[in-house]
Amino acid sequence: MVDFLPARICLLLLGLCVSAATVAAPDIQHWLTKNGARVYFVAAHELPMVSISLAFDAGSARDPGNRLGLAHLTNTLMEEGAGDRSGEQISEGLESIGAQLQSNNGRDMSVFELRTLSDPNVLDTSVGILGDVIGRPQFPAAALERERDRVLVALQRQQQSPRDLVRQVFFKSLFAGHPYSKPPMGEAEGVKAIVRQDLIDFHRRYFVAANGVVAIVGDLNRQRAEQIAQRLVAALPRGGAAPGMSDVSQPAGPRESSIDFPSQQSHLLMGQPGVARGDPDYFPLYVGNHILGGSGLISRLAVEIREKRGLAYSAYSYFVAMRARGPFAVGLQTRNDQLETAADIAAQTLVRFVEQGPTAQELEAAKKNITGGFPLLIDSNSKIADYLMHIGFYELPLNYLQEYPANIEAVTVDDVTDAFRRRVDPKRLVRVIVGDNSG
Amino acid sequence: MHIFGNRLLVLMLTALSVAGCGTLPKQPDSAEQVHETTLANGLKILVKVDRRAPIVVSQVWYKVGGSYEPSGRTGLSHVLEHMMFKGTEQLGPNEFSRVIAANGGRENAFTGRDYTAYFQRLEKSRLPISFKLESDRMQNLKLNLGEFKKEVEVVKEERRLRTDDRPEAQVYEKFMATAFRASNYRNPIIGWPQDLEAMQLQDLEAWYRRYYAPNNATLVVAGDVDPDEVFALAERYFGKLPRRELAPAADVAEPPQDAPRRLELRLPAKVPYLLMGFHVPSMNADDPDNWEPYALEILAYILDGGKSARLPRRLVREQRIASSVGVGYDPVSRLSTLLIINGHPANGKSIAELEAALQAEIERLKAEPVSPQELDRVKAQIVASNVFERDSVFYQAMKLGELETVGLDWRLESQMVDRLRAVTAEQVLRVAQKYLVSENMTVAVLAPQAIGARDG
């Protein structure tokens, strides 16, 4: 028979020991390339591999209003022909040495991620190819037509998914009038209007050294990392950073949209513009959200909606910190006829949290979870590379990871309550529902 | 799609993503770092040391999953997995998760066709918490009627989310039920809706008693740990659990297919979708030297291992017949399985054109050996992936647990790269000729019907 009470006391003791012993955050080295790109580097010699992430401030927020989808198509087409290589030669060149290149874009960033063996020949070849992709894309006309068609199909697929639809409509409504209303993959009309010169111009404007960040983690030394970073952006002019992102305005009053869709479930998203990177409210909001809906099945929303009542598989909330204020959202999905009940409980849970804040006990538990799990955040090269990219892109302090546990520890009940009251107004929620509301 | 998580999906390991997905090999020397023991009660323990970060991953794998369930009882393993968070004689509902969270842990569980697994990721000194809690719920689960009634509704919502409201997932479900006539791989892991409706608490009770025992489980620990300490700790927490009499799964062999099968689903959707599957062998403990699964794995890479592989290169880039295309084959399976090709036609192209183009590629595979360059490229990818995978401690543990739980030997892990590298063009040709034939084929098509939404 297992006795849990003494067990948990012993666990608490263990917990104290552990938080006393600090976990070393990686030693981040930072410099600029000759043409002004910001570089962030962590040496990790245990595995013979190198992870490289490049991020440019060239996400869909930079799409011209009549060319929604330009950032995404630019990102996609850069590896479809660059320098002297065709798209096929690029894929084959990388894959024949086992390297993996992935590109993607969001609202803020256009990202290229390379994983390669650290063998010098392999590394040199992959860096040479990626340098061309970044600096000398050719945007072949035939590839544009093909990729445009593929995007149009992907956009169509989103239209058959209530989950994609609710997100799309929510962002559009939440950020109406702001660049963040522009979806990462664009819209059919804009995608159809794009011509090759648009891609060339977009690349010329935003893929410049001063607008980019290079993150390198792996089995190499500083000197080698410097050479690699230089080669990756060598073909780029210095240029200038993209203009600052305009502030997101709070909706004046509640906004409600409902999309009829022949699904068994209704999907709900409700929220407001939340928090920007580097905002002093970030940590109180992050910890508060952990309690409200950010910690899986033990968060308040999951307990009220799933654990107590079995109304949904997932019920959650999140903040995404972006260049400007990103979304705060509460979401769930439930059988159509239960929507009203579930939505009411979600709204009441949110209102109660905003009005009363967390209990001291909840705050303690959340902090223990976040700080106790800190080593898990940085337990692989790929996770560290991702942190470096975000630290670099949002110009967070170099000791961001070192300070992270202390920043979490410093949050008080009052900080959370105060930050939520100032940032979340339940009377002005943007609310979107997609589902079959005919019954 | 054959793994279901209890929570928001942490693991998106699907049978239908890129070729070779989820089944890539380990470095040749990994066996040196794996330590094994078996407790007197039959619990097998595998420890993989990785000292790169002060963390530990702990996973308990049970030999039970969707393929163990008889007709009319589908979904039992997965619902039981959900109920495993609902408390024991000592712990209240959801308290398991609270204790792990208070210790800085992340935890979840997943149910597959051939396994049910529970895991925690923790700072390394917290491993005893994991063992304490897992050993408790291995024996002392409290199945409460009220909790069950709520949880089965949660699972029905999960099914609506994952399958019923996703036209492509519906096609996949019906495709599996058509390709397999007898094997339990025909059933969805999450269960058929009518089985979820009919499920009783007693069914779960019996399922738990039958399969949750130390001699039906494998404990896999990976991370910055000392193997002997882990063994001692395991003995302390799991050692006293009694061994239980096990009833083997009542497997039904799939009769050979003798004619092509085809189905078309008309559903509200926008984009047509095609699935094409062939019965193929999986790795089998009774015949560990069978080279065919390795040749099939190479074949899957040849078709879809990256953008320069045959299908993306020709069908997407050159001919512009497909908008996307993928190949899935999971040789680490208990029963014989399928090699599945999936795709969406390009804008303006039809399913018939896509299918004809795929057929042409299959005929080519059967007519001429793959080129040395293609084979070299695939092997370079396999060698490199094997290094990249070691960046994830969780994945390393996962591979060991999976092999062991489907009845293979975890030592295979360290041999896979060599076995894959030994595959010849001739062998790829032979498996193509043997298995990629029309009598062995099932094709499922999604024919989109107007969604008919009126804007609200």
Side-chain angles (χ1 to χ4, degrees):
Chain A
M1 231 9 75
V2 186
D3 188 349
F4 271 94
L5 198 59
R8 242 175 295 136
I9 293 165
C10 130
L11 307 187
L12 290 177
L13 288 175
L14 269 172
L16 291 176
C17 300
V18 168
S19 42
T22 51
V23 172
D27 170 31
I28 303 173
Q29 302 185 44
H30 169 52
W31 65 89
L32 299 178
T33 62
K34 286 176 195 147
N35 49 356
R38 304 195 296 281
V39 187
Y40 299 80
F41 167 61
V42 168
H45 299 292
E46 294 90 342
L47 295 174
M49 60 182 279
V50 176
S51 304
I52 298 174
S53 302
L54 282 111
F56 289 83
D57 189 329
S60 65
R62 305 295 176 184
D63 276 346
N66 57 355
R67 295 285 190 276
L68 297 186
L70 180 56
H72 174 69
L73 258 184
T74 305
N75 173 285
T76 303
L77 278 160
M78 283 166 65
E79 58 178 295
E80 294 298 327
D84 303 329
R85 294 180 179 90
S86 68
E88 261 177 45
Q89 286 166 332
I90 290 170
S91 330
E92 192 159 320
L94 292 170
E95 288 166 9
S96 61
I97 52 174
Q100 299 175 349
L101 175 63
Q102 286 195 321
S103 59
N104 64 78
N105 79 298
R107 288 179 166 78
D108 275 347
M109 294 184 204
S110 186
V111 177
F112 293 81
E113 289 169 322
L114 175 74
R115 264 203 311 194
T116 172
L117 297 176
S118 55
D119 171 275
N121 292 327
V122 170
L123 184 55
D124 276 339
T125 305
S126 7
V127 165
I129 294 174
L130 182 55
D132 276 354
V133 166
I134 298 299
R136 304 200 296 152
Q138 299 300 315
F139 302 116
L144 168 60
E145 293 318 312
R146 182 186 71 229
E147 294 305 321
R148 185 207 309 278
D149 267 0
R150 294 184 67 209
V151 172
L152 292 173
V153 172
L155 288 170
Q156 287 280 304
R157 271 184 89 207
Q158 291 182 345
Q159 299 300 308
Q160 69 192 32
S161 157
R163 191 154 70 160
D164 289 342
L165 271 176
V166 75
R167 214 174 296 161
Q168 247 173 39
V169 178
F170 177 70
F171 269 80
K172 232 175 166 165
S173 176
L174 184 67
F175 294 112
H178 187 273
Y180 284 167
S181 65
K182 301 169 185 175
M185 219 190 292
E187 288 180 3
E189 201 185 334
V191 170
K192 286 178 187 161
I194 291 166
V195 296
R196 182 166 175 267
Q197 192 60 42
D198 295 326
L199 302 165
I200 295 169
D201 293 344
F202 190 86
H203 179 265
R204 191 171 290 154
R205 169 64 193 90
Y206 293 107
F207 284 79
V208 293
N211 198 40
V213 167
V214 184
I216 303 176
V217 177
D219 183 20
L220 69 176
N221 62 27
R222 163 82 184 242
Q223 190 193 2
R224 187 97 167 96
E226 282 184 22
Q227 290 164 1
I228 283 171
Q230 192 58 46
R231 271 186 79 196
L232 286 171
V233 299
L236 299 179
R238 172 177 295 272
M245 191 55 63
S246 54
D247 195 15
V248 179
S249 54
Q250 285 291 346
R255 290 182 197 149
E256 176 108 18
S257 323
S258 178
I259 310 293
D260 200 8
F261 194 88
S263 48
Q264 294 194 20
Q265 285 185 322
S266 292
H267 291 242
L268 164 74
L269 271 180
M270 57 182 185
Q272 271 164 6
V275 63
R277 281 281 172 181
D279 188 306
D281 279 339
Y282 175 77
F283 284 101
L285 291 174
Y286 176 76
V287 176
N289 183 68
H290 197 79
I291 298 162
L292 173 63
S295 51
L297 299 193
I298 61 171
S299 71
R300 283 197 189 183
L301 282 164
V303 166
E304 292 299 326
I305 288 162
R306 174 169 161 163
E307 296 303 310
K308 286 193 188 163
R309 297 177 178 86
L311 287 170
Y313 176 64
S314 81
Y316 56 86
S317 63
Y318 61 77
F319 283 92
V320 184
M322 295 168 61
R323 184 76 88 199
R325 275 186 289 176
F328 162 69
V330 173
L332 61 85
Q333 70 301 123
T334 187
R335 206 172 67 202
N336 290 314
D337 64 301
Q338 299 177 148
L339 175 70
E340 213 173 314
T341 311
D344 283 351
I345 295 164
Q348 287 159 18
T349 306
L350 176 64
V351 167
R352 200 177 329 123
F353 191 78
V354 172
E355 282 173 359
Q356 298 166 17
T359 67
Q361 210 180 0
E362 284 176 315
L363 183 73
E364 230 15 69
K367 285 184 186 178
K368 269 192 204 152
N369 183 238
I370 300 167
T371 59
F374 177 68
L376 301 168
L377 299 180
I378 48 172
D379 67 359
S380 70
N381 292 1
S382 57
K383 287 182 196 172
I384 294 171
D386 200 51
Y387 268 108
L388 291 195
M389 185 179 81
H390 281 88
I391 287 170
F393 188 86
Y394 292 113
E395 298 182 70
L396 303 173
L398 276 189
N399 62 358
Y400 179 80
L401 286 170
Q402 272 92 348
E403 296 297 313
Y404 182 88
N407 278 319
I408 298 289
E409 281 302 340
V411 172
T412 65
V413 168
D414 286 347
D415 293 342
V416 173
T417 314
D418 176 55
F420 265 82
R421 277 192 197 147
R422 283 184 290 103
R423 296 305 183 107
V424 179
D425 180 354
K427 292 197 183 64
R428 293 193 293 176
L429 289 176
V430 172
R431 195 164 172 270
V432 178
I433 291 157
V434 172
D436 184 352
N437 45 32
S438 58
Chain B
M1 174 172 336
H2 68 156
I3 293 188
F4 286 100
N6 179 284
R7 300 234 169 140
L8 306 178
L9 201 59
V10 243
L11 290 165
M12 276 300 292
L13 302 182
T14 77
L16 293 180
S17 46
V18 259
C21 60
T23 54
L24 296 174
K26 279 280 114 57
Q27 82 281 20
D29 63 344
S30 68
E32 293 160 24
Q33 301 158 29
V34 178
H35 303 255
E36 175 186 10
T37 196
T38 304
L39 301 186
N41 60 14
L43 179 69
K44 185 173 269 196
I45 305 162
L46 302 176
V47 179
K48 170 115 190 195
V49 178
D50 181 331
R51 301 203 184 281
R52 293 179 303 143
I55 60 118
V56 63
V57 171
S58 174
Q59 302 173 342
V60 178
W61 293 74
Y62 292 97
K63 290 176 183 157
V64 61
S67 71
Y68 288 69
E69 296 160 357
S71 289
R73 298 291 176 87
T74 63
L76 270 178
S77 305
H78 174 248
V79 173
L80 180 57
E81 176 227 297
H82 276 238
M83 293 303 293
M84 285 283 279
F85 293 85
K86 293 300 182 181
T88 64
E89 288 157 23
Q90 312 288 328
L91 285 183
N94 224 7
E95 205 176 334
F96 188 105
S97 302
R98 288 187 196 283
V99 175
I100 294 296
N103 281 281
R106 311 284 182 268
E107 46 120 27
N108 211 326
F110 47 90
T111 306
R113 300 192 297 197
D114 300 331
Y115 48 73
T116 308
Y118 302 82
F119 68 85
Q120 295 82 38
R121 298 167 53 233
L122 293 152
E123 187 279 327
K124 65 175 179 177
S125 71
R126 321 284 177 109
L127 186 60
I129 289 122
S130 154
F131 282 11
K132 179 176 283 286
L133 295 175
E134 287 293 7
S135 60
D136 180 41
R137 70 177 173 183
M138 188 178 282
Q139 183 173 19
N140 304 319
L141 185 66
K142 205 163 93 187
L143 287 159
N144 167 290
L145 186 61
E147 291 296 332
F148 165 67
K149 283 188 165 164
K150 276 186 299 189
E151 202 57 27
V152 80
E153 292 305 316
V154 169
V155 171
K156 289 179 198 167
E157 293 293 350
E158 183 179 358
R159 197 194 137 84
R160 290 179 191 111
L161 178 68
R162 289 188 194 282
T163 307
D164 300 328
D165 284 346
R166 286 187 189 180
E168 291 175 7
Q170 284 202 60
V171 173
Y172 178 75
E173 191 174 86
K174 306 293 188 301
F175 164 81
M176 293 300 278
T178 304
F180 289 108
R181 293 256 161 103
S183 163
N184 282 340
Y185 280 178
R186 70 193 313 276
N187 296 319
I189 294 161
I190 201 163
W192 294 109
Q194 56 275 29
D195 292 352
L196 291 175
E197 283 300 335
M199 195 178 288
Q200 302 288 324
L201 188 66
Q202 302 89 286
D203 302 332
L204 287 171
E205 184 75 47
W207 207 243
Y208 178 68
R209 290 291 153 220
R210 180 165 173 183
Y211 290 108
Y212 282 63
N215 46 324
N216 197 42
T218 305
L219 171 64
V220 186
V221 174
D224 186 5
V225 291
D226 174 71
D228 290 331
E229 283 173 23
V230 173
F231 293 155
L233 202 60
E235 175 63 43
R236 190 171 139 208
Y237 288 107
F238 292 93
K240 54 199 153 193
L241 302 180
R243 176 191 282 273
R244 227 196 277 275
E245 191 88 8
L246 298 176
D251 291 330
V252 185
E254 180 66 21
Q257 186 175 342
D258 48 15
R261 296 172 194 163
R262 180 172 275 284
L263 69 152
E264 182 182 278
L265 256 73
R266 292 156 190 267
L267 298 168
K270 293 281 192 180
V271 178
Y273 179 59
L274 174 87
L275 286 168
M276 180 186 274
F278 301 88
H279 289 277
V280 289
S282 49
M283 292 177 187
N284 189 314
D286 297 334
D287 187 11
D289 295 326
N290 184 8
W291 53 269
E292 287 187 343
Y294 300 95
L296 286 160
E297 178 95 340
I298 296 286
L299 182 149
Y301 262 95
I302 294 281
L303 289 179
D304 185 35
K307 284 187 182 171
S308 61
R310 289 188 179 185
L311 298 184
R313 170 193 292 234
R314 295 179 197 227
L315 271 57
V316 179
R317 264 186 172 148
E318 290 174 11
Q319 302 168 18
R320 292 178 57 183
I321 286 174
S323 171
S324 71
V325 66
V327 178
Y329 169 55
D330 186 359
V332 184
S333 303
R334 209 166 57 84
L335 310 174
S336 79
T337 186
L338 294 174
L339 182 137
I340 303 172
I341 303 173
N342 74 88
H344 301 95
N347 223 354
K349 298 288 178 184
S350 66
I351 283 282
E353 287 167 293
L354 174 60
E355 191 179 340
L358 288 170
Q359 274 303 348
E361 288 303 324
I362 288 169
E363 290 313 314
R364 208 172 139 242
L365 270 179
K366 288 154 66 177
E368 54 190 75
V370 298
S371 73
Q373 294 90 324
E374 283 178 294
L375 213 48
D376 284 351
R377 188 181 64 235
V378 163
K379 290 177 182 180
Q381 288 175 291
I382 287 166
V383 169
S385 301
N386 178 50
V387 172
F388 302 154
E389 281 161 15
R390 286 156 62 196
D391 196 30
S392 165
V393 176
F394 185 88
Y395 192 73
Q396 294 177 66
M398 173 111 192
K399 290 309 298 173
L400 296 173
E402 195 181 15
L403 278 170
E404 195 62 35
T405 306
V406 305
L408 295 164
D409 187 334
W410 59 265
R411 286 170 195 83
L412 264 179
E413 188 58 20
S414 60
Q415 300 163 14
M416 281 211 200
V417 170
D418 288 343
R419 289 190 183 210
L420 287 167
R421 287 171 76 181
V423 171
T424 64
E426 171 63 22
Q427 289 177 317
V428 176
L429 187 69
R430 277 165 63 190
V431 289
Q433 288 168 345
K434 183 171 174 185
Y435 296 109
L436 304 187
V437 295
S438 66
E439 306 82 71
N440 190 31
M441 180 176 75
T442 302
V443 171
V445 170
L446 167 61
Q449 306 297 300
I451 288 179
R454 49 185 205 287
D455 272 22

